[in-house]
Amino acid sequence: MTMPTANGGIAQQTADSQDAEISIFSGESHGDGERRAGNEDQRRGNNDPRHNKQPRQNNQPRRDKRDVHGWVILDKPIGMTSTHAVAVLKRLFQAKRAGHAGTLDPLASGGLPIALGEATKTVPFVMDGRKRYRFTVAWGEERDTDDTEGRVVKTSELRPSADAVRALLPRFTGLIEQIPPQYSAIKVQGERAYDLARDGETVELKPRPVEIHELTLVEHGDTGQSVFEAECGKGTYVRALARDIGRILGCFGHICALRRTLVGPFRETDMIPLEELEALCNRAASGEGSLADALLPVETALDDIPALAVTRADAARLHRGQAVLLRGRDAPNSSGTVYVTVAGRLLALAEIGNGELIPKRVFNLTGLTASPGRSNEKV
C-alpha cells in the first residue's frame, strides 16, 4: 500500500514485504496446527538449554551477546521444539533477544519465523497473518492428541473414497465453528487443557469461530492416507480438521505428517534449513561470509501495513516519543497504523488520528541487520 509523505518529507516508500529469549505469546492458544506451547517440551523431555543448564567446560567465558535485528525463517526439522529452535538461533547469532511467531509442533516441519532484536516488536503482525499447511491424515484411528503422538481412542475398518472426502470439504471452508483439541493451550478455569488431559480429565472445550480460506485434497491413494493443503487464519487447529472430517466420514482419522509452508508474509522460499544456518555461521566465524545474509529486514513483517516517510526533523520528534502534526496538502487523510521510515530506514510503528502521527513502537536498529541486498527483495 502507499501513503503520501508527511509535511512534504522524503519520498514515500512501501514495504516489500515481549522481548527476551522467549517463545512470544507461547502461553496462548493460536491453533494453526500449532501445538500446546510449553507442553511440547514436557512430552518429549525438555530439551531447552535454559532448563538443563550444564557447567561450562574448561571454565570457558560466556560469549558476548550483541544487538541483532531481523527475521530468520527457519525450516524447522521434525523432532525439534520451537523453544529449542529459538535457543539454537539465539546462540548462533549471539543475539540478545529472540522469539518466535507461532509454535510449531515437534512432529511438524516447515516455517518457524524467528524474530531477533527489534523484530520481536513486530511478532503480532506475523501471528495474525494467514498460514498454509500441507498435512497427511491417516484414516482408521482417532487419537487423543489428534496426531501420532497420542493413544488410540477410536478405530474403524472403513476407508473413505476420494469423492467422499472432496464432497465434505466445503463444510470445512469459510467461517466455521471448531472445537479445539483436548491437548491444546486453551485455559479452562485457569488450567491449560493439555495439563487437564494429561491428568486424565475430560475437558469440555467450547467451539470457536475460525476461518479456513482454502482446503483441498492433494493426494488420495490405497494406503489409507490422504494428503491435504489448507490455508487458514489465526486460531485454526489443523489437527481438529483431521479429527472432525474423520468423525463425519465414520472412519476416524489423525494427522501423521504436517508441514507449514506459509506464515504471514513469509513463504517456503524464505525458509533456511538449520544445517545451512550452521554452515553460514562457521563461514562467518572464519571471515568468509556474514550472518546478515540470513536475515530478513524487520519491516518484512509489516507487509500489509502502509508505510509513511517523514523528514529528519519529524523523525527526531518521533524518536523521542513525541507526536507529529500532519498538515498541508500532502498530509494523509486516513487513520490507523502505519510504519514510519526516514531516509529509507524503519523508524517506528505509529497511529494516525486527529491530524497527528503518534508513535507506538520506536525501533533502534543499531547493530547487525539484514544485508542491503535483502532489503530490496520481495518476501
Side-chain angles (χ1 to χ4, degrees), residues 100-375:
H100 66 65
T103 305
L104 194 59
D105 285 2
L107 169 72
S109 66
L112 181 66
I114 296 179
L116 300 174
E118 295 291 86
T120 57
K121 296 176 180 178
T122 65
V123 162
F125 297 95
V126 176
M127 295 192 71
D128 287 343
R130 292 190 184 189
K131 301 173 181 68
R132 178 173 282 274
Y133 297 91
R134 185 181 181 96
F135 60 99
T136 302
V137 177
W139 306 114
E141 291 181 347
E142 182 174 313
R143 303 198 176 197
D144 59 357
T145 60
D146 300 318
D147 61 21
T148 55
E149 293 185 330
R151 63 182 181 87
V152 178
V153 292
K154 295 177 184 177
T155 61
S156 173
E157 296 298 323
L158 295 175
R159 297 295 181 269
S161 67
D163 289 341
V165 173
R166 288 194 186 94
L168 196 58
L169 298 187
R171 292 179 58 176
F172 292 91
T173 305
L175 192 63
I176 67 170
E177 293 281 315
Q178 185 184 73
I179 299 176
Q182 291 284 310
Y183 282 85
S184 62
I186 301 290
K187 276 195 173 182
V188 180
Q189 296 180 344
E191 299 272 352
R192 297 293 182 190
Y194 54 68
D195 287 329
L196 298 173
R198 280 204 313 272
D199 292 338
E201 296 187 36
T202 301
V203 182
E204 295 296 331
L205 297 175
K206 296 180 180 180
R208 308 186 308 170
V210 298
E211 189 167 11
I212 301 174
H213 306 282
E214 184 180 344
L215 179 61
T216 57
L217 177 65
V218 178
E219 297 177 18
H220 184 89
D222 300 326
T223 61
Q225 298 182 352
S226 298
V227 180
F228 297 84
E229 285 190 354
E231 186 170 313
C232 47
K234 180 180 178 181
T236 305
Y237 281 92
V238 179
R239 288 180 289 134
L241 282 177
R243 176 200 67 199
D244 294 342
I245 292 173
R247 286 178 179 178
I248 294 175
L249 290 171
C251 62
F252 306 118
H254 65 275
I255 282 184
C256 61
L258 176 65
R259 179 170 177 78
R260 188 157 64 185
T261 58
L262 175 75
V263 189
F266 303 121
R267 306 183 185 122
E268 201 162 13
T269 53
D270 299 312
M271 299 178 195
I272 304 177
L274 182 58
E275 296 81 3
E276 187 175 326
L277 276 173
E278 290 173 336
L280 179 58
C281 180
N282 292 333
R283 292 197 302 272
S286 61
E288 298 177 3
S290 172
L291 281 174
D293 295 336
L295 291 173
L296 290 172
V298 173
E299 59 267 29
T300 56
L302 309 175
D303 190 46
D304 292 331
I305 299 174
L308 178 66
V310 299
T311 64
R312 294 186 185 276
D314 286 342
R317 290 184 59 84
L318 293 169
H319 194 265
R320 293 192 297 268
Q322 299 172 332
V324 170
L325 288 176
L326 299 174
R327 54 182 178 268
R329 65 179 184 179
D330 291 328
N333 56 12
S334 60
S335 61
T337 302
V338 296
Y339 76 85
V340 182
T341 64
V342 56
R345 188 173 177 85
L346 178 65
L347 173 67
L349 282 166
E351 294 287 329
I352 296 177
N354 298 321
E356 286 187 321
L357 185 63
I358 305 167
K360 298 299 181 181
R361 289 274 194 167
V362 176
F363 297 95
N364 181 8
L365 299 180
T366 302
L368 180 66
T369 58
S371 298
R374 302 219 72 183
S375 300

